[in-house]
Amino acid sequence: SSYFSSAATGDMPTYQIRAPTTALPQGVVMAASPGSLHSPQQLAEEATCRGELRLMKNREAAQECHRKKKEYVKCLENRVAVLENQNKTLIEELKALKDLYCHKAQ
DNA sequence: AGTATATTTCGTCAGGCTGC
DNA sequence: GCAGCCTGACGAAATATACT
């Protein structure tokens, strides 16, 4: 159930960056090699890291999702404009044909 | 100016869906 | 099952607009 797929437009708005969203746990090394021991503290740290990583990934996913939605809406708006124009043209055309028909009939 | 109200943007959570 | 992705819903903050 996703929006149409299309290439990114790449127009980045110029915002102020919000509250210090603690960017990435820098150099998150997914701890310890398979055989190593884990102190409770290490385990807690790992859990924190996993949580932060999850949040970060979701944040990025949400950004992409918002971007796609915006693009989708823009696309729909364009389509509305096109269809409105077509409609206008068709109405004109119909009117012209009706006129023509009337004059012939007389 | 300042401030009240509306709109936009972004991050988080929850829950569905999919591939493994 | 479950890990990972996607997206709707929601709230908070930023930004825009209307008004005095």
Side-chain angles (χ1 to χ4, degrees):
Chain A
S1 69
S2 111
Y3 309 115
F4 71 112
S5 54
S6 72
T9 52
D11 49 349
M12 286 300 285
T14 56
Y15 287 137
Q16 223 166 302
I17 287 116
R18 245 173 231 252
T21 343
T22 37
L24 254 275
Q26 291 199 335
V28 179
V29 182
M30 264 318 177
S33 52
S36 69
L37 291 173
H38 300 274
S39 70
Q41 196 163 5
Q42 277 177 311
L43 290 175
E45 223 172 280
E46 282 177 38
T48 304
C49 272
R50 277 195 303 276
E52 285 178 350
L53 197 61
R54 185 179 51 75
L55 279 186
M56 187 201 66
K57 283 197 168 184
N58 190 245
R59 189 180 312 134
E60 287 173 354
Q63 283 168 354
E64 178 65 6
C65 187
H66 289 147
R67 186 192 65 74
K68 275 165 67 181
K69 186 172 186 176
K70 214 169 155 188
E71 203 171 292
Y72 174 66
V73 168
K74 231 187 249 174
C75 187
L76 286 182
E77 286 170 348
N78 274 347
R79 187 157 166 70
V80 166
V82 166
L83 290 175
E84 278 175 352
N85 272 339
Q86 278 182 6
N87 199 37
K88 217 193 275 177
T89 305
L90 288 171
I91 286 172
E92 293 293 320
E93 201 177 321
L94 180 62
K95 203 174 134 198
L97 287 170
K98 273 181 176 173
D99 277 356
L100 200 63
Y101 179 76
C102 279
H103 288 128
K104 266 194 177 174
Q106 289 173 2

